[in-house]
Each structure stands twice: as C-alpha cells, then as structure tokens.
Amino acid sequence: MKKFLYFFVSLVMITSILPFSALADDLTVIAFGDSITAADKWQKYIEAEYGIDIINAGVGGDTTNSAKVRFKKDVLNKKPDIVFISLGVNDCAIDMSRYVDLETYKANMAYFIDECEKAGAKVIVNMPTPVVDEQYLTRHKKEPFEPYGC
C-alpha cells in the first residue's frame, strides 16, 4: 500500500513535468522542503521512472520560516527549471516554538512560489501530509493539543 501511495503521488506530481521529460538531462529540478522531502522517497520514484535527477533540498524539522533563511542558497542560486515545494507539517506544530500561524504560512508559500516563477522555474506545490494523532502523539506531548480535540 505504501509503495502504491508513493507511486500514485509521484504520478500525480509528474504529470506537470511530462513535457520536459525529453529534456531531462538539461533540467535542474529541486525538491525543497522538510523531513518528508529529506527522506528522498517520492523523488526516487520520479527519478527512476522519468530519468530526471532531483536535487534534494529537504531539511528535517523545517518550517516555512526556517526554510526561508536557506531558500536563496538551496533553490534560487541553483537556477532551477522545476521546484517541488513541500512544507507545512512543522508549521502547524502547536506544541513547539517553531509554530507558524496560517497567515505567515500563506505569505511564506506565496514568496517561495513568486520568487521561483520570477526566476523562470515551474513550481509544483506538494500539499502537507496529514498528521495521524496516534503516531504524532507518541513523539509529542498530548496536553497542548487537547484544546483542539486531539
């Protein structure tokens, strides 16, 4: 099931890249995100299926605020043709000092997208993965989440 899910997500994401597949050797593709990106799993499916090398610019624990600090160096300076942006799960970590409110999250994401597009890159935004309470709360204290129904 997990492999199917990775394949399905990869297939959905790659549909916007298909016109570029013939130029794969000339493309600079960057995956910019948090630990889900850093794990390098979904990128491997795309690389294997379409022969596209993807630069992994994922950093575990990143929020849109902390990723913004490294955005120019890790993304824009590499002059990408395509940028996958996968951020958001850590932004909503209510129990952590790195929490990013929704308006700031939206502004940060708009900044990333706008700057990539200004640089001539096609942007593919990967939606944040859902949080499964039972697993998440084995690593984090439950008390801060109780007012929100967790």
Side-chain angles (χ1 to χ4, degrees), residues 89-110:
V89 172
N90 296 316
D91 290 66
C92 64
I94 298 167
D95 66 332
M96 299 175 193
S97 60
R98 58 189 164 171
Y99 171 73
V100 176
D101 66 89
L102 183 58
E103 292 308 311
T104 302
Y105 170 79
K106 288 180 190 178
N108 288 342
M109 290 297 288

Side-chain angles (χ1 to χ4, degrees), residues 5-24:
L5 182 60
Y6 284 133
F7 178 75
F8 178 74
V9 170
S10 298
L11 187 62
V12 169
M13 290 187 302
I14 201 65
T15 57
S16 61
I17 298 175
L18 284 175
F20 298 109
S21 61
L23 306 170

Side-chain angles (χ1 to χ4, degrees), residues 2-136:
K2 202 175 206 181
K3 284 186 179 185
F4 172 76
L5 182 60
Y6 284 133
F7 178 75
F8 178 74
V9 170
S10 298
L11 187 62
V12 169
M13 290 187 302
I14 201 65
T15 57
S16 61
I17 298 175
L18 284 175
F20 298 109
S21 61
L23 306 170
D25 292 338
D26 297 330
L27 288 177
T28 300
V29 182
I30 299 174
F32 178 65
D34 53 28
S35 61
I36 296 163
T37 300
D40 206 28
K41 293 187 179 190
W42 58 265
Q43 300 98 310
K44 292 297 180 197
Y45 287 101
I46 294 172
E47 289 176 332
E49 187 67 27
Y50 298 97
I52 298 172
D53 290 325
I54 299 175
I55 298 168
N56 189 326
V59 173
D62 250 1
T63 64
T64 55
N65 283 340
S66 56
K68 200 170 181 181
V69 173
R70 63 186 182 83
F71 179 65
K72 184 174 181 182
K73 176 180 71 83
D74 287 356
V75 179
L76 296 179
N77 287 354
K78 293 180 175 22
K79 302 192 183 324
D81 298 294
I82 300 170
V83 179
F84 289 95
I85 301 175
S86 303
L87 291 160
V89 172
N90 296 316
D91 290 66
C92 64
I94 298 167
D95 66 332
M96 299 175 193
S97 60
R98 58 189 164 171
Y99 171 73
V100 176
D101 66 89
L102 183 58
E103 292 308 311
T104 302
Y105 170 79
K106 288 180 190 178
N108 288 342
M109 290 297 288
Y111 168 78
F112 296 140
I113 294 165
D114 291 345
E115 291 301 308
C116 286
E117 289 178 343
K118 282 182 200 172
K122 183 172 178 92
V123 178
I124 301 166
V125 177
N126 299 340
M127 299 304 295
T129 57
V131 175
V132 178
D133 293 342
E134 295 80 32
Q135 293 172 345
Y136 187 77

